[in-house]
Amino acid sequence: MTYTVNCSILLTELPLLERPAAAKAAGFDAVEFWWPFESNVPGDAELTAFERAITDAGVQLTGLNFNAGNMPGGDRGLVSWKGRCSEFKDNVDAVVGIGERLGTKAFNALYGNRQDDYTPAEQDELAVKNLVYAAQGVAKIGGTVLLEPVSGTPAYPLKTAADVLAVIAKTQEAGVDNVKLLADFYHLAVNGDDVPAVIENHAKDFGHIQIADDPGRGAPGTGTLPLGEWITRSRELGYAGPIGLEYKSAAADAFSWTIRQQAN
């Protein structure tokens, strides 16, 4: 099994730039990150430090989020956020540069919360334009834009696979084919989606899979979700990419479940 460690939610007891090496020491060859910078367009020194942390650790950066705004403050993306369009486009250029230098191909674009001052239709129209711009940008390096359902944020409008696929259809109508569903099994399950049906109907077209268990968004095996079965079936139906580990766990046993898995 090829796993990629999300170093923005795991290994948080360490400074961010030490986490790729810690993932490598734990036996993983791949990592992914939410947007790892405070600034929308980081300077050369910030970029160099981050990229060296990846390359010096000897891991592959398989995935990177576009800037999603102030995540601790409740923001969940800039894609549909009216008033920040130029900011999103500037960030696309920065993301493409990182991807080109590190060989990253998957880029997660969080859709953004609903805004009281605009209609959903107005935001959705902007979102399609921004997604097309991002897709065209990452296409230059063979990349894919990922779009995901999210739980726990009522103002975030994409909660099911169907919600995401409807947006993706609009981007396809606009002329791009590299916007894909990020199937986060935790978010889908918590939101009440029929995860087995999503897998049966769309696994071959998944852009990425991420996992966490429920309840608690903990490590696999700490809850009730049949994550192993879902992953196996997704593989059988054509998903060939890595599995993103995007769960919360205490530092002492963050990856102990993989040892139990190997023993079985």
Side-chain angles (χ1 to χ4, degrees), residues 205-225:
D205 299 318
F206 287 168
H208 188 35
I209 290 174
Q210 290 177 330
I211 60 171
D213 218 332
D214 180 51
R217 200 176 184 178
T222 61
T224 61
L225 299 184

Side-chain angles (χ1 to χ4, degrees), residues 123-134:
Q123 285 193 262
D124 293 342
E125 181 181 12
L126 174 62
V128 171
K129 292 178 180 178
N130 279 335
L131 287 168
V132 169
Y133 182 88

Side-chain angles (χ1 to χ4, degrees), residues 48-70:
T48 298
F50 175 73
E51 292 169 11
R52 282 183 177 170
I54 300 293
T55 56
D56 289 353
V59 294
Q60 175 62 50
L61 182 68
T62 58
L64 180 66
N65 282 24
F66 294 95
N67 182 16
N70 179 11

Side-chain angles (χ1 to χ4, degrees), residues 50-204:
F50 175 73
E51 292 169 11
R52 282 183 177 170
I54 300 293
T55 56
D56 289 353
V59 294
Q60 175 62 50
L61 182 68
T62 58
L64 180 66
N65 282 24
F66 294 95
N67 182 16
N70 179 11
M71 292 274 284
D75 295 345
R76 290 296 182 271
L78 306 183
V79 169
S80 65
W81 194 334
K82 293 185 71 67
R84 300 184 73 172
C85 184
S86 60
E87 185 178 352
F88 178 76
K89 290 183 175 180
D90 288 344
N91 184 244
V92 169
D93 294 338
V95 165
V96 170
I98 296 169
E100 184 173 26
R101 290 186 293 274
L102 294 180
T104 309
K105 301 295 184 184
F107 306 95
N108 186 16
L110 288 175
Y111 195 78
N113 295 332
R114 288 305 191 200
Q115 296 171 270
D116 292 338
D117 293 337
Y118 301 97
T119 67
E122 289 174 322
Q123 285 193 262
D124 293 342
E125 181 181 12
L126 174 62
V128 171
K129 292 178 180 178
N130 279 335
L131 287 168
V132 169
Y133 182 88
Q136 291 171 337
V138 303
K140 299 171 186 176
I141 57 172
T144 297
V145 173
L146 303 173
L147 192 62
E148 68 171 323
V150 169
S151 62
T153 306
Y156 189 90
L158 306 185
K159 293 183 168 58
T160 66
D163 293 337
V164 171
L165 292 168
V167 176
I168 291 174
K170 292 179 182 178
T171 67
Q172 292 171 337
E173 292 171 3
V176 298
D177 62 1
N178 60 326
V179 182
K180 302 292 184 181
L181 170 64
L182 193 170
D184 185 307
F185 291 159
Y186 169 78
H187 287 312
L188 290 170
V190 168
N191 285 340
D193 212 345
D194 186 341
V195 179
V198 172
I199 292 169
E200 291 298 318
N201 293 324
H202 303 291
K204 68 181 186 302

